[in-house]
Amino acid sequence: MGGGGSTRRVTFEADENENITVVKGVRLSDSVIDRMKEPSSPGGRQPRGSGAVNDEELKKRIAEELALERARRDSEAQKRRLFGKLLERERISSNEHLTRAILRERAATEEERQKAQRF
């Protein structure tokens, strides 16, 4: 269950002031961005002496969020595949049932036709 064979490159760059890390090549949902904005320490505050998140911590959080998002997508894809298989089995079963009903009806019609011909 990989990432679908994507060949996109993800790059990390710092802005002019070295305060913000720019991540290129990654599409994130609003919920992921909101979670990344939340403080990571318990109690809702950042550790003392650390006014900004360092690059390594940010890269780690982004990688974790990407892994969670990938796992969620893989799980959704697996559910869709299983549901598709279930629907296909139902369709096959319905077709078989319909085919048998048509054959029974044809046999009954032929029998009625032969009876009518005899009389």
Side-chain angles (χ1 to χ4, degrees):
M1 305 224 163
S6 176
T7 58
R8 290 187 187 182
R9 290 187 56 145
V10 177
T11 58
F12 295 91
E13 298 176 2
D15 71 343
E16 302 82 34
N17 300 328
E18 300 285 328
N19 292 337
I20 298 173
T21 299
V22 178
V23 181
K24 294 182 179 179
V26 177
R27 203 180 295 180
L28 300 174
S29 68
D30 289 338
S31 63
V32 170
I33 292 170
D34 291 341
R35 287 191 306 241
M36 290 172 62
K37 289 179 183 177
E38 294 174 1
S40 60
S41 64
R45 297 194 328 220
Q46 292 185 349
R48 292 182 189 194
S50 169
V53 178
N54 67 30
D55 286 347
E56 291 302 316
E57 183 179 336
L58 184 59
K59 288 178 185 179
K60 180 180 174 186
R61 288 181 76 182
I62 290 171
E64 289 171 355
E65 292 295 332
L66 288 172
L68 288 171
E69 190 69 20
R70 187 177 301 122
R72 185 193 61 75
R73 279 195 317 266
D74 289 346
S75 175
E76 292 292 325
Q78 185 177 19
K79 287 177 186 175
R80 283 191 301 273
R81 282 192 303 272
L82 291 174
F83 188 67
K85 287 179 182 179
L86 177 64
L87 288 176
E88 180 65 16
R89 287 180 185 158
E90 283 291 319
R91 186 188 64 77
I92 290 169
S93 176
S94 294
N95 284 345
E96 289 173 354
H97 181 71
L98 183 60
T99 301
R100 278 183 265 164
I102 289 170
L103 290 174
R104 279 194 302 267
E105 189 63 32
R106 283 182 183 165
T109 302
E110 180 63 23
E111 188 177 318
E112 290 288 325
R113 187 185 67 75
Q114 287 176 357
K115 280 183 184 179
Q117 212 173 27
R118 279 186 245 145
F119 292 117

